Amino acid sequence: MLKYLFFDLDETLYPATSGLMPAVGERMRLYLEQRYNLDPERAHELQKRYWHEYGTTLRGLMMEREVDPQDYLDFVHDVDVAQFIEPDERLHQILAALPYEKVIVTNADAPHARRVLTRLGIADQFTRIFDIVFMEFECKPARGAYERVLNALGVRGEESILVEDSARNLATARELSIRTILLLPPNGDPSVQPARRFLDPAAHSANIECPADANLCIEEIYQVATAVRQLAAHTISASQESS
Ligand SMILES: [Mg+2]
């Protein structure tokens, strides 16, 4: 039985082309430059390496250097979200029509998440925000991040679906039986492997490429309701077949 929808926040609930995350990324670089006296190239290098090795820049800083996490989070999210994203009434309607409890699971912090949700006009659709502080900085894609969320809600992985724009965050969710919907990047992600698994290939446009860790791929967030209904229907038929 499907109960929960887990939504990633950044570049899932608003377009990746908004420029918001690049602005946050700039703040991360600036933080590295200012707090650790690094030149811009070195800061950029470090940021990239931390993201690859640890999932977030913050996690890298915590593992390899001294950092005050709250100081970092306040600094990097000090951007005016209203400059980048607009209220999205269409998304609000789509979310409101989905009869499942919706929560945010984000590697950002809750104040940033609230600002984004409020600006989009969809804050009322989410009952909880599980942020990087809740995860005790063990961020996605760490399996522990999802385990904490499942435990806090008292649900099994089978009872939830994750909606994410980052393909690398899917595998550990799948290990916990969380089904996954991947929002593909606008112009194709070179790291995404060729299509292997569709529940309903006919539902996708012909040239869509969906990685194996995704149960379904969508090309814009507005398709999420269709994808959720397909996955929910699939569970019902699968359990009927086995009984
Ligand atoms: Mg994201």
Side-chain angles (χ1 to χ4, degrees):
M1 241 304 254
L2 178 59
K3 287 184 184 162
Y4 279 92
L5 303 180
F6 301 160
F7 282 87
D8 171 52
L9 180 87
D10 288 302
E11 300 193 340
T12 292
L13 293 175
Y14 60 84
T17 50
S18 69
L20 175 52
M21 283 318 279
V24 172
E26 268 310 312
R27 299 284 301 165
M28 290 176 182
R29 262 193 295 288
L30 196 60
Y31 188 89
L32 292 174
E33 284 178 40
Q34 290 183 358
R35 297 291 200 274
Y36 304 94
N37 278 318
L38 301 174
D39 61 56
E41 289 94 276
R42 175 85 180 106
H44 184 57
E45 245 170 55
L46 208 58
Q47 186 189 14
K48 278 204 311 203
R49 183 169 69 74
Y50 285 167
W51 191 82
H52 280 288
E53 285 182 25
Y54 299 106
T56 59
T57 303
L58 175 57
R59 186 77 180 154
L61 285 173
M62 292 177 75
M63 298 300 281
E64 296 194 3
R65 292 174 183 246
E66 296 271 309
V67 66
D68 172 353
Q70 200 55 58
D71 176 59
Y72 171 88
L73 290 168
D74 291 344
F75 185 97
V76 304
H77 292 122
D78 185 14
V79 291
D80 179 12
V81 300
Q83 281 185 13
F84 301 97
I85 54 177
E86 297 285 330
D88 193 342
E89 178 54 30
R90 184 180 172 197
L91 181 57
H92 184 272
Q93 285 179 14
I94 287 167
L95 293 172
L98 279 170
Y100 307 101
E101 193 162 340
K102 293 151 221 118
V103 301
I104 298 290
V105 180
T106 178
N107 282 352
D109 69 351
H112 169 76
R114 277 192 287 272
R115 286 192 292 273
V116 168
L117 295 174
T118 301
R119 173 64 177 168
L120 292 170
I122 57 174
D124 64 330
Q125 292 304 308
F126 297 93
T127 51
R128 293 189 62 175
I129 295 170
F130 295 102
D131 72 344
I132 186 137
V133 178
F134 169 83
M135 293 167 194
E136 295 182 26
F137 307 100
E138 189 189 14
C139 52
K140 296 182 289 183
R143 186 179 156 134
Y146 299 114
E147 284 172 333
R148 279 176 209 274
V149 172
L150 292 173
N151 288 341
L153 296 172
V155 286
R156 293 175 298 122
E158 290 87 333
E159 298 170 304
S160 60
I161 291 175
L162 172 69
V163 184
E164 241 303 337
D165 73 300
S166 185
R168 70 178 191 151
N169 289 345
L170 302 181
T172 42
R174 288 293 299 273
E175 282 171 24
L176 295 163
S177 302
I178 299 169
R179 282 162 289 163
T180 57
I181 296 171
L182 179 66
L183 174 62
L184 294 168
N187 295 312
D189 179 346
S191 71
V192 166
Q193 298 299 304
R196 268 166 291 182
R197 191 178 334 187
F198 293 109
L199 288 179
D200 182 2
H204 298 284
S205 60
N207 57 0
I208 194 172
E209 292 193 341
C210 194
D213 293 326
N215 288 110
L216 280 176
C217 286
I218 55 177
E219 291 166 288
E220 53 172 22
I221 190 61
Y222 305 118
Q223 297 168 325
V224 72
T226 312
V228 166
R229 285 192 200 103
Q230 278 181 35
L231 287 179
H234 182 76
T235 326
I236 293 162
S237 60
S239 57
Q240 281 169 345
E241 278 161 26
S242 62
S243 64

mmCIF file of all heavy atoms in Angstrom, residues 8-14 21 105-107 140 163-166 169, ligand 1:
data_model
loop_
_atom_site.group_PDB
_atom_site.id
_atom_site.type_symbol
_atom_site.label_atom_id
_atom_site.label_comp_id
_atom_site.label_asym_id
_atom_site.label_seq_id
_atom_site.Cartn_x
_atom_site.Cartn_y
_atom_site.Cartn_z
ATOM 1 N N ASP A 8 12.343 15.200 -3.352
ATOM 2 C CA ASP A 8 13.523 16.045 -3.298
ATOM 3 C C ASP A 8 13.041 17.484 -3.514
ATOM 4 O O ASP A 8 11.955 17.713 -4.053
ATOM 5 C CB ASP A 8 14.503 15.621 -4.398
ATOM 6 C CG ASP A 8 15.659 16.586 -4.533
ATOM 7 O OD1 ASP A 8 16.310 16.874 -3.510
ATOM 8 O OD2 ASP A 8 15.899 17.073 -5.654
ATOM 9 N N LEU A 9 13.849 18.444 -3.111
ATOM 10 C CA LEU A 9 13.439 19.843 -3.238
ATOM 11 C C LEU A 9 14.065 20.520 -4.471
ATOM 12 O O LEU A 9 13.382 20.774 -5.472
ATOM 13 C CB LEU A 9 13.847 20.608 -1.962
ATOM 14 C CG LEU A 9 13.482 22.088 -1.962
ATOM 15 C CD1 LEU A 9 12.078 22.295 -1.439
ATOM 16 C CD2 LEU A 9 14.487 22.890 -1.128
ATOM 17 N N ASP A 10 15.372 20.759 -4.368
ATOM 18 C CA ASP A 10 16.032 21.608 -5.354
ATOM 19 C C ASP A 10 16.108 20.958 -6.737
ATOM 20 O O ASP A 10 16.563 19.829 -6.879
ATOM 21 C CB ASP A 10 17.440 21.985 -4.875
ATOM 22 C CG ASP A 10 17.383 22.982 -3.720
ATOM 23 O OD1 ASP A 10 16.796 24.063 -3.911
ATOM 24 O OD2 ASP A 10 17.915 22.671 -2.638
ATOM 25 N N GLU A 11 15.659 21.672 -7.706
ATOM 26 C CA GLU A 11 15.657 21.276 -9.113
ATOM 27 C C GLU A 11 14.763 20.068 -9.389
ATOM 28 O O GLU A 11 14.822 19.470 -10.456
ATOM 29 C CB GLU A 11 17.095 21.070 -9.635
ATOM 30 C CG GLU A 11 17.896 22.364 -9.505
ATOM 31 C CD GLU A 11 19.213 22.398 -10.244
ATOM 32 O OE1 GLU A 11 19.748 21.333 -10.576
ATOM 33 O OE2 GLU A 11 19.695 23.521 -10.502
ATOM 34 N N THR A 12 13.945 19.710 -8.389
ATOM 35 C CA THR A 12 12.875 18.738 -8.605
ATOM 36 C C THR A 12 11.545 19.477 -8.631
ATOM 37 O O THR A 12 10.754 19.320 -9.557
ATOM 38 C CB THR A 12 12.881 17.655 -7.506
ATOM 39 O OG1 THR A 12 14.059 16.861 -7.656
ATOM 40 C CG2 THR A 12 11.661 16.753 -7.611
ATOM 41 N N LEU A 13 11.323 20.339 -7.634
ATOM 42 C CA LEU A 13 10.036 21.038 -7.531
ATOM 43 C C LEU A 13 10.022 22.363 -8.305
ATOM 44 O O LEU A 13 8.987 23.005 -8.414
ATOM 45 C CB LEU A 13 9.684 21.263 -6.061
ATOM 46 C CG LEU A 13 9.391 19.962 -5.298
ATOM 47 C CD1 LEU A 13 9.177 20.242 -3.819
ATOM 48 C CD2 LEU A 13 8.179 19.237 -5.884
ATOM 49 N N TYR A 14 11.158 22.747 -8.815
ATOM 50 C CA TYR A 14 11.230 23.903 -9.718
ATOM 51 C C TYR A 14 12.262 23.575 -10.799
ATOM 52 O O TYR A 14 13.090 22.677 -10.606
ATOM 53 C CB TYR A 14 11.592 25.184 -8.952
ATOM 54 C CG TYR A 14 12.929 25.116 -8.251
ATOM 55 C CD1 TYR A 14 14.117 25.394 -8.936
ATOM 56 C CD2 TYR A 14 13.037 24.742 -6.916
ATOM 57 C CE1 TYR A 14 15.341 25.317 -8.306
ATOM 58 C CE2 TYR A 14 14.258 24.658 -6.278
ATOM 59 C CZ TYR A 14 15.408 24.956 -6.980
ATOM 60 O OH TYR A 14 16.625 24.853 -6.357
ATOM 61 N N MET A 21 20.170 26.958 -8.034
ATOM 62 C CA MET A 21 21.256 26.127 -7.501
ATOM 63 C C MET A 21 22.642 26.618 -7.921
ATOM 64 O O MET A 21 23.567 26.598 -7.113
ATOM 65 C CB MET A 21 21.058 24.646 -7.862
ATOM 66 C CG MET A 21 20.005 23.970 -7.006
ATOM 67 S SD MET A 21 20.073 24.418 -5.246
ATOM 68 C CE MET A 21 21.379 23.342 -4.667
ATOM 69 N N VAL A 105 12.430 15.499 1.293
ATOM 70 C CA VAL A 105 13.676 14.873 1.729
ATOM 71 C C VAL A 105 14.801 15.573 0.970
ATOM 72 O O VAL A 105 14.989 15.356 -0.228
ATOM 73 C CB VAL A 105 13.682 13.353 1.448
ATOM 74 C CG1 VAL A 105 14.997 12.735 1.913
ATOM 75 C CG2 VAL A 105 12.504 12.663 2.129
ATOM 76 N N THR A 106 15.521 16.454 1.666
ATOM 77 C CA THR A 106 16.474 17.323 0.969
ATOM 78 C C THR A 106 17.834 17.378 1.658
ATOM 79 O O THR A 106 17.911 17.294 2.893
ATOM 80 C CB THR A 106 15.913 18.765 0.870
ATOM 81 O OG1 THR A 106 16.887 19.606 0.237
ATOM 82 C CG2 THR A 106 15.569 19.352 2.230
ATOM 83 N N ASN A 107 18.881 17.528 0.861
ATOM 84 C CA ASN A 107 20.224 17.739 1.400
ATOM 85 C C ASN A 107 20.464 19.201 1.756
ATOM 86 O O ASN A 107 21.533 19.562 2.231
ATOM 87 C CB ASN A 107 21.287 17.290 0.387
ATOM 88 C CG ASN A 107 21.450 15.777 0.356
ATOM 89 O OD1 ASN A 107 20.873 15.060 1.187
ATOM 90 N ND2 ASN A 107 22.225 15.280 -0.588
ATOM 91 N N LYS A 140 21.756 12.295 1.454
ATOM 92 C CA LYS A 140 21.578 11.467 0.266
ATOM 93 C C LYS A 140 22.868 11.537 -0.554
ATOM 94 O O LYS A 140 23.442 12.604 -0.659
ATOM 95 C CB LYS A 140 20.418 12.006 -0.593
ATOM 96 C CG LYS A 140 19.067 11.964 0.060
ATOM 97 C CD LYS A 140 17.973 12.474 -0.895
ATOM 98 C CE LYS A 140 18.060 13.969 -1.118
ATOM 99 N NZ LYS A 140 16.967 14.492 -1.991
ATOM 100 N N VAL A 163 10.682 10.931 -5.395
ATOM 101 C CA VAL A 163 10.731 11.717 -6.632
ATOM 102 C C VAL A 163 11.981 12.592 -6.556
ATOM 103 O O VAL A 163 12.115 13.404 -5.632
ATOM 104 C CB VAL A 163 9.472 12.602 -6.786
ATOM 105 C CG1 VAL A 163 9.496 13.331 -8.124
ATOM 106 C CG2 VAL A 163 8.198 11.771 -6.644
ATOM 107 N N GLU A 164 12.900 12.412 -7.494
ATOM 108 C CA GLU A 164 14.255 12.976 -7.406
ATOM 109 C C GLU A 164 14.735 13.417 -8.782
ATOM 110 O O GLU A 164 14.387 12.784 -9.772
ATOM 111 C CB GLU A 164 15.190 11.841 -6.995
ATOM 112 C CG GLU A 164 15.951 11.897 -5.744
ATOM 113 C CD GLU A 164 16.888 13.046 -5.469
ATOM 114 O OE1 GLU A 164 17.384 13.736 -6.397
ATOM 115 O OE2 GLU A 164 17.104 13.269 -4.287
ATOM 116 N N ASP A 165 15.585 14.444 -8.810
ATOM 117 C CA ASP A 165 16.189 14.797 -10.088
ATOM 118 C C ASP A 165 17.621 14.270 -10.200
ATOM 119 O O ASP A 165 18.228 14.358 -11.257
ATOM 120 C CB ASP A 165 16.206 16.319 -10.284
ATOM 121 C CG ASP A 165 17.242 16.987 -9.406
ATOM 122 O OD1 ASP A 165 17.133 16.841 -8.169
ATOM 123 O OD2 ASP A 165 18.164 17.619 -9.931
ATOM 124 N N SER A 166 18.165 13.724 -9.118
ATOM 125 C CA SER A 166 19.558 13.293 -9.119
ATOM 126 C C SER A 166 19.633 11.772 -9.173
ATOM 127 O O SER A 166 19.289 11.080 -8.211
ATOM 128 C CB SER A 166 20.241 13.828 -7.852
ATOM 129 O OG SER A 166 21.611 13.521 -7.892
ATOM 130 N N ASN A 169 21.040 9.463 -6.424
ATOM 131 C CA ASN A 169 20.357 9.294 -5.135
ATOM 132 C C ASN A 169 19.360 8.139 -5.125
ATOM 133 O O ASN A 169 18.687 7.904 -4.122
ATOM 134 C CB ASN A 169 19.626 10.590 -4.751
ATOM 135 C CG ASN A 169 20.589 11.695 -4.355
ATOM 136 O OD1 ASN A 169 21.768 11.424 -4.103
ATOM 137 N ND2 ASN A 169 20.111 12.920 -4.317
HETATM 138 MG MG MG B 1 17.679 17.967 -6.486
#
